[in-house]
């Protein structure tokens, strides 16, 4: 299995409840390494740019409002099969559908305030990493 990198966000509902450490530990315990990390309070414009793929969706405004409502921790996770592994640890987008023991089952408030985001494919991982990090910030 190839070593991959994926992009992850710990969203404002989770940083507000001081869950950055607990969530990061779940990634690390599963064998993923945090090779870049920073806490940002994204602007509305940054949220709209990041989630541009969803701009026609009915929840787009609500999503961008929420994502710019408080601090987010943006991270790059590295490891074997990192993209799929990260998605497994997160659980389903809607916490009502998330498996026991996943981050969203444990911590998400709702489908909108769902505590974490993770890239869904190698192309989006590369794009999302580039959106938030420069090469010199990926430190291994
Ligand atoms: P995320 O993995 O960050 O990708 C897009 C986000 O849109 C998703 O997690 C949810 O938080 C949000 N989202 C998806 N569907 C809905 C919905 N029906 N209502 C509100 N937010 C949603």
């Amino acid at each position: 299995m190839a070593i991959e990198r994926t992009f992850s966000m710990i969203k404002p509902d989770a940083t507000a409840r001081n869950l950055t450490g607990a969530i990061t530990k779940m990634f690390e315990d599963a064998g993923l390494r945090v090779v870049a990390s920073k806490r940002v309070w994204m602007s509305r414009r940054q949220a709209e740019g990041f989630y541009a793929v969803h701009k026609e969706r009915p929840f787009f405004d609500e999503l961008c409002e929420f994502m710019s409502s408080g601090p987010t921790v943006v991270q790059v996770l590295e490891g074997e099969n990192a993209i799929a592994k990260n998605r497994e640890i997160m659980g389903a987008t809607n916490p009502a559908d998330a498996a026991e023991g996943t981050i969203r089952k444990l911590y998400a408030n709702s489908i909108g305030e769902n505590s974490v985001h993770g890239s869904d494919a190698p192309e989006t991982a590369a794009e999302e990493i580039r959106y938030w990090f420069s090469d010199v910030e990926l430190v291994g």
Side-chain angles (χ1 to χ4, degrees):
M1 200 67 73
I3 299 291
E4 285 179 334
R5 283 180 172 175
T6 192
F7 176 74
S8 169
M9 294 197 288
I10 302 174
K11 296 186 180 185
D13 67 286
T15 62
R17 286 174 287 153
N18 223 13
L19 292 169
T20 300
I23 290 173
T24 301
K25 185 172 186 323
M26 290 177 74
F27 294 136
E28 291 180 336
D29 286 349
L32 295 173
R33 175 176 295 273
V34 180
V35 298
S37 185
K38 60 188 174 189
R39 191 171 174 99
V40 300
W41 191 320
M42 69 180 77
S43 66
R44 175 78 190 218
R45 182 179 286 233
Q46 284 175 311
E48 288 172 358
F50 181 79
Y51 279 117
V53 67
H54 295 307
K55 65 174 181 295
E56 305 303 334
R57 303 284 195 93
F59 56 81
F60 183 67
D61 268 359
E62 184 190 323
L63 173 62
C64 294
E65 186 67 30
F66 167 61
M67 290 304 295
S68 54
S69 70
T72 288
V73 176
V74 293
Q75 297 179 320
V76 179
L77 307 178
E78 183 181 89
E80 269 190 20
N81 213 12
I83 296 167
K85 192 177 278 185
N86 175 38
R87 293 179 72 76
E88 195 181 317
I89 300 162
M90 287 193 299
T93 304
N94 186 344
D97 302 327
E100 289 298 329
T102 61
I103 293 170
R104 285 165 169 160
K105 181 70 174 186
L106 284 167
Y107 298 128
N109 290 330
S110 63
I111 191 169
E113 299 192 9
N114 64 352
S115 301
V116 281
H117 164 85
S119 308
D120 62 3
E123 301 72 31
T124 43
E127 245 174 63
E128 292 177 353
I129 290 169
R130 213 175 314 115
Y131 193 86
W132 290 107
F133 293 99
S134 64
D135 285 349
V136 293
E137 291 177 296
L138 307 175
V139 291

